[in-house]
Amino acid sequence: MQRPLLQRLLNGVLACALALGTATAQAQPSEPQPSYINGLRGQANGAITGVVDLSRAWRRALEYDHNYQAAISEQAAAQTEEAMGRAGLLPQIQAGYSRSQVKGDAVSFNALGQSNSSELSYTSTNAYIQLQQPIVNFGRYAGYQRGIALANEGTAIFAARRQATALRLTEVYLNVLLAHDNLGLQRSLVEVLEARATALEAHLKQFEGTVTAVQETQARLAVARADMIDAADQLQVAERELAAMLGGPVARLSALQAEHFPLTGLQPAGLAQWLELARTNNAEVRAARQAVAVAETEVDQATSRYLPTLDLIVSVSKADSENLSTLSQRSNTFMAGLQANIPIFTGGYNTANVSRTRADQKRLQHELTATLERTQAEVMRQYTNVLGGAERIRAFEAAVESGQQALHATEQSFRAGVLSNLDVLRAQDTLYRARFDLVRARLEYLLARLSLASAAGTLDDAGFDSISQTYLGRVITLQEKQEPSNGPR
């Protein structure tokens, strides 16, 4: 009469276990993922159509940059740690079946000591299903907490990877702009020197110039052509790096506006506010904090090995001729009980393991402090770069204006015979160097603003949109094969 009751009890336990597992799985609905998370995209075929500004480049990098896609996969792997930790708290159900063919001889003795031998040949089968549910297990609970901490650490690391991708894209994009403008300046300088060399040669034929002036100009022209070739090579490399991040070559790129370059103030304006933002929001600092949290759960997990455990075990088995004593007998057994395990001695493993986890926790705590100090220094560096960059831009703007006036005055003095041709060449070099320094200072200013936002943990899509709308707009065409000029030699 009791067997049906026990069977119903086992069926109820199994139903509760399955319902618990199903409810746990349903408790975590899958959130809709952006398009770039649903799978890796193939490389785009041909050049990217339309004008690409920094904002559009950022969104394409999120879809096509392989380093960022690797970070997405890394985060997805980390998110499974919570489910793996939770599995240790849920019932573990396993089943087994065995079937054996037994052959041999059985020898028995009677009361007079006489042996009686008989041949054995039978089939033995055994099937069972067992449920084990932890009731008191601090190690399993610590493992669940560790899984949560690992998942949170994965999220923080992904945020750090995203910020690194943002800065890498910014540097690559601005390098293309710098290389393109540098090539334009070098080509313009070559054209000016070619025209000057032609004019000096014409004057020499009319006995109005000197051979020295012609040779000085031709020598400077040869150097300018070499610099133009180097600038073209740098532009090709920069374009290739940008194409690798965006999934294809860019035909038209949005560059700095020719005249409009506002030097707006920072928000917030004070360094103390930026330092506080970095302490709270910096992605690397948050990842380091989560690493410390993981280490704390590992200490708890190691300490739990000193504590006893208590499990509920329920099993049902069915056997046929399981052994000689039950030959030609069938048995159905049901077992329900509690199993307690008390650790007594492990050869010193638990003590060493606890010491290891505590030492690792201290190490990560020191690394957190070092990361925080490094972040604070980076915020201060980029903050001063923004403020100092604005002053440098104003200084180079004045240098360009003064250089233009100085070149004009030097050319007039040369025509009047007061200054030499070498003075004109030096004035030209000074002007073109000032123009290049101005372009570089403006691009470094933009990089400093975005780097400051990244160090403070506030760089997002809106930051790229703001830069594109405020500073970019002049369209340049890439993918042109640059041929060195063949002027007079």
Side-chain angles (χ1 to χ4, degrees), residues 163 274 277 281 452-460 463:
Q163 294 294 312
W274 285 103
L277 284 174
N281 300 325
L452 178 61
S454 176
T458 60
L459 180 58
D460 53 11

Side-chain angles (χ1 to χ4, degrees), residues 228-239:
M228 187 177 69
I229 294 173
D230 182 63
D233 293 340
Q234 293 179 5
L235 177 58
Q236 290 181 0
V237 173
E239 289 180 18

Side-chain angles (χ1 to χ4, degrees), residues 174-192 224-239 432 435-436 439-440 443 474 476-485:
L174 298 182
N175 282 340
V176 174
L177 299 186
L178 180 61
H180 182 272
D181 287 353
N182 182 33
L183 179 59
L185 289 173
Q186 292 297 332
R187 185 184 295 111
S188 176
L189 179 59
V190 167
E191 293 173 353
V192 170
R225 285 171 176 161
D227 292 339
M228 187 177 69
I229 294 173
D230 182 63
D233 293 340
Q234 293 179 5
L235 177 58
Q236 290 181 0
V237 173
E239 289 180 18
Y432 283 93
R435 288 175 175 173
F436 174 76
V439 173
R440 183 171 58 184
L443 295 177
R474 177 171 57 95
I476 60 176
T477 302
L478 304 178
Q479 300 300 315
E480 291 182 351
K481 184 177 181 180
Q482 309 295 344
E483 295 291 348
S485 175

Side-chain angles (χ1 to χ4, degrees), residues 73-150:
S73 299
E74 182 183 14
Q75 183 198 23
Q79 296 307 307
T80 62
E81 295 288 347
E82 181 176 355
M84 293 168 62
R86 185 189 301 108
L89 299 177
L90 299 179
Q92 307 297 312
I93 303 176
Q94 61 181 0
Y97 176 80
S98 65
R99 179 183 178 90
S100 304
Q101 184 68 34
V102 181
K103 293 184 178 181
D105 296 325
V107 180
S108 59
F109 297 90
N110 55 23
L112 299 178
Q114 297 176 342
S115 62
N116 183 18
S117 178
S118 61
E119 183 179 358
L120 295 177
S121 180
Y122 66 94
T123 301
S124 173
T125 60
N126 185 15
Y128 74 95
I129 181 171
Q130 176 179 292
L131 177 144
Q132 182 174 356
Q133 170 62 53
I135 298 178
V136 179
N137 195 317
F138 296 99
R140 296 284 183 88
Y141 181 75
Y144 173 55
Q145 295 298 320
R146 179 177 179 272
I148 296 177
L150 286 173

Side-chain angles (χ1 to χ4, degrees), residues 17 29 35 90 104 109 155 158 164 184 323 382 397 426 431 442 448:
S35 60
L90 299 179
F109 297 90
T155 301
F158 175 73
N323 48 51
Q382 298 303 334
E397 288 174 345
R426 289 173 178 170
L431 174 59
R442 287 175 172 176

